[in-house]
Amino acid sequence: MTEKCCKVFARKQDMPRIAHCTRRWLALAVWAGGMLLFLLLGLWSLHSSRQDVENRLSSEAGRMAAQLAALLSLPAWELDELTARTIVMAALEDDSIYAVKVQTQQGMLEGQRRNYQWEPVPWDDEIPENTVQGMNPLKMEGRSVGSVEVYLSPRLSEEELALAARREVWRFGLAALFLTGSLWLLLWQWGDLARVRRLLARRLEGRDTDPACGNAGKLTLGLGTPTGDDPPAARAAEAAIRAPVAVNPSLGRSFQCKHREAWQVTAGLFRQTFASAPAVLSRLYDEGETAALCRLGQMLEKAAPCLGAVRLTEAARHMQAALNDPQCETTALAVEECLTALEEVLAALG
């Protein structure tokens, strides 16, 4: 019955966290869907603009070909090479026309195209430009005697497409800015940005490499269960819910990593515990109590890293090594260094 109640309680405790994660993923999905929607709308608009330009050029090319065919078919004109060249050169005054070709049943009557300097040159059957062709039959007295072909260059239309593309880019950028700003506002309102900021602050301060914090979820000391790579707070909370204990080292280490003021408690406990340690250290050395000195050195070696007292940690380790070495001639110096380091730490703690 107790185990069942614990499971129900754990499930109720997990519900707010699950709801928060669902809400966060829903917001990210809406943001991604909005970005994709605006991107597709921009691409569709560009494709439609390109299609409109091509259709307009095609109709314009057909209209120009019909006009030239009508001019060449006038009864006042005599369909010869000179007349055709005059009309073709007059038509090439329009910079949007790339080439004009007048074809009769006997062969090509006249043809002109643009070169790389956009100047008219005689027709040579080469169309290097991506042009749009328009054709209209050439009729004389009701019968077809040839055809007129007009090729329009899309150079001027490409400027229009470039402006449309720039407009769509600005539109997508503004939409992306609005959606991203809304997402950041929601995350800030829900507290996710503050959580990320704290995580980055801990990484910048090197707390994630601290053995006391980084291995909080792996050290159990007989009171917890080692877990995987989850955050220490989450592991400790889950362990505390599933198997309630009086003391949870993981929760304690997680609290110390998040709250700097917790160091004051550690410092006060160290000062109170080892306040008389210098006198005890001197007395034990005078009485030759080597075993008791080693035990006190072990306690100092384990407690000093909690304060960041590196010198005291090394001094306590060297004192133990000197006491355990019968041939060591600097035992007194090692004990004196440990005593001096301990007094300095106590003095710094006040």
Side-chain angles (χ1 to χ4, degrees):
M1 185 66 180
T2 303
E3 183 180 358
K4 184 177 181 180
C5 292
C6 290
K7 290 182 179 179
V8 173
F9 178 74
R11 191 179 299 111
K12 290 183 178 180
Q13 292 292 329
D14 289 340
M15 287 179 63
R17 180 173 59 85
I18 295 175
H20 186 73
C21 292
T22 304
R23 181 177 59 184
R24 184 189 308 150
W25 282 111
L26 181 61
L28 290 175
V30 171
W31 174 82
M35 295 285 288
L36 182 60
L37 176 62
F38 280 105
L39 179 61
L40 294 178
L41 287 176
L43 295 177
W44 177 76
S45 178
L46 288 178
H47 179 71
S48 299
S49 299
R50 187 175 298 275
Q51 289 293 331
D52 293 341
V53 168
E54 291 179 358
N55 294 334
R56 188 175 68 250
L57 285 177
S58 179
S59 61
E60 187 72 15
R63 184 182 62 82
M64 289 185 176
Q67 289 179 352
L68 292 179
L71 285 175
L72 290 171
S73 301
L74 288 176
W77 299 102
E78 185 176 345
L79 188 58
D80 55 6
E81 184 177 351
L82 179 59
T83 303
R85 177 169 297 180
T86 302
I87 294 176
V88 168
M89 295 303 294
L92 286 175
E93 294 295 330
D94 189 351
D95 289 338
S96 63
I97 298 179
Y98 173 75
V100 178
K101 179 183 178 182
V102 180
Q103 187 82 15
T104 63
Q105 295 178 355
Q106 289 76 24
M108 188 182 69
L109 184 62
E110 177 60 25
Q112 296 286 330
R113 73 169 183 88
R114 306 278 188 180
N115 59 8
Y116 68 96
Q117 295 180 347
W118 212 245
E119 296 176 350
V121 295
W123 180 269
D124 54 2
D125 290 333
E126 292 186 6
I127 308 284
E129 287 276 336
N130 184 21
T131 57
V132 178
Q133 181 186 12
M135 181 182 296
N136 197 79
L138 181 59
K139 295 183 178 181
M140 298 292 292
E141 298 179 354
R143 57 188 181 86
S144 178
V145 297
S147 62
V148 177
E149 299 178 12
V150 176
Y151 297 85
L152 294 184
S153 174
R155 288 191 176 185
L156 300 179
S157 301
E158 288 178 354
E159 297 180 0
E160 180 181 351
L161 292 176
L163 291 176
R166 191 178 298 112
R167 182 177 64 251
E168 292 301 328
V169 168
W170 275 102
R171 182 179 301 174
F172 177 77
L174 292 177
L177 182 63
F178 173 76
L179 291 175
T180 305
S182 301
L183 178 64
W184 278 83
L185 183 62
L186 286 176
L187 293 179
W188 174 77
Q189 185 69 23
W190 294 338
D192 291 328
L193 293 183
R195 190 177 298 107
V196 173
R197 184 179 60 186
R198 289 194 299 267
L199 178 61
L200 292 178
R202 287 200 300 269
R203 288 186 177 276
L204 291 177
E205 292 174 2
R207 293 186 180 183
D208 55 330
T209 59
D210 189 358
C213 298
N215 298 329
K218 298 179 181 179
L219 299 177
T220 59
L221 298 180
L223 297 176
T225 303
T227 57
D229 296 330
D230 295 334
R235 295 198 302 264
E238 185 177 358
I241 292 174
R242 295 183 177 178
V245 293
V247 178
N248 194 304
S250 299
L251 285 177
R253 294 188 183 93
S254 177
F255 180 84
Q256 292 178 2
C257 290
K258 293 181 179 179
H259 299 81
R260 299 182 179 181
E261 62 274 10
W263 184 86
Q264 299 293 338
V265 178
T266 303
L269 293 175
F270 185 92
R271 182 175 60 249
Q272 183 177 1
T273 303
F274 296 100
S276 59
V280 174
L281 193 64
S282 300
R283 181 174 57 81
L284 291 177
Y285 179 74
D286 293 337
E287 294 177 359
E289 297 289 340
T290 303
L293 279 175
C294 288
R295 286 194 296 271
L296 181 57
Q298 291 177 357
M299 294 175 61
L300 290 174
E301 184 182 359
K302 293 180 179 180
C306 298
L307 301 176
V310 180
R311 181 182 177 187
L312 178 58
T313 304
E314 296 295 331
R317 185 180 299 113
H318 293 163
M319 182 185 70
Q320 295 176 66
L323 291 173
N324 291 324
D325 187 5
Q327 299 180 356
C328 182
E329 300 178 356
T330 58
T331 304
L333 180 59
V335 174
E336 184 178 357
E337 290 180 354
C338 182
L339 177 62
T340 302
L342 178 58
E343 291 178 345
E344 290 179 354
V345 172
L346 294 175
L349 296 178

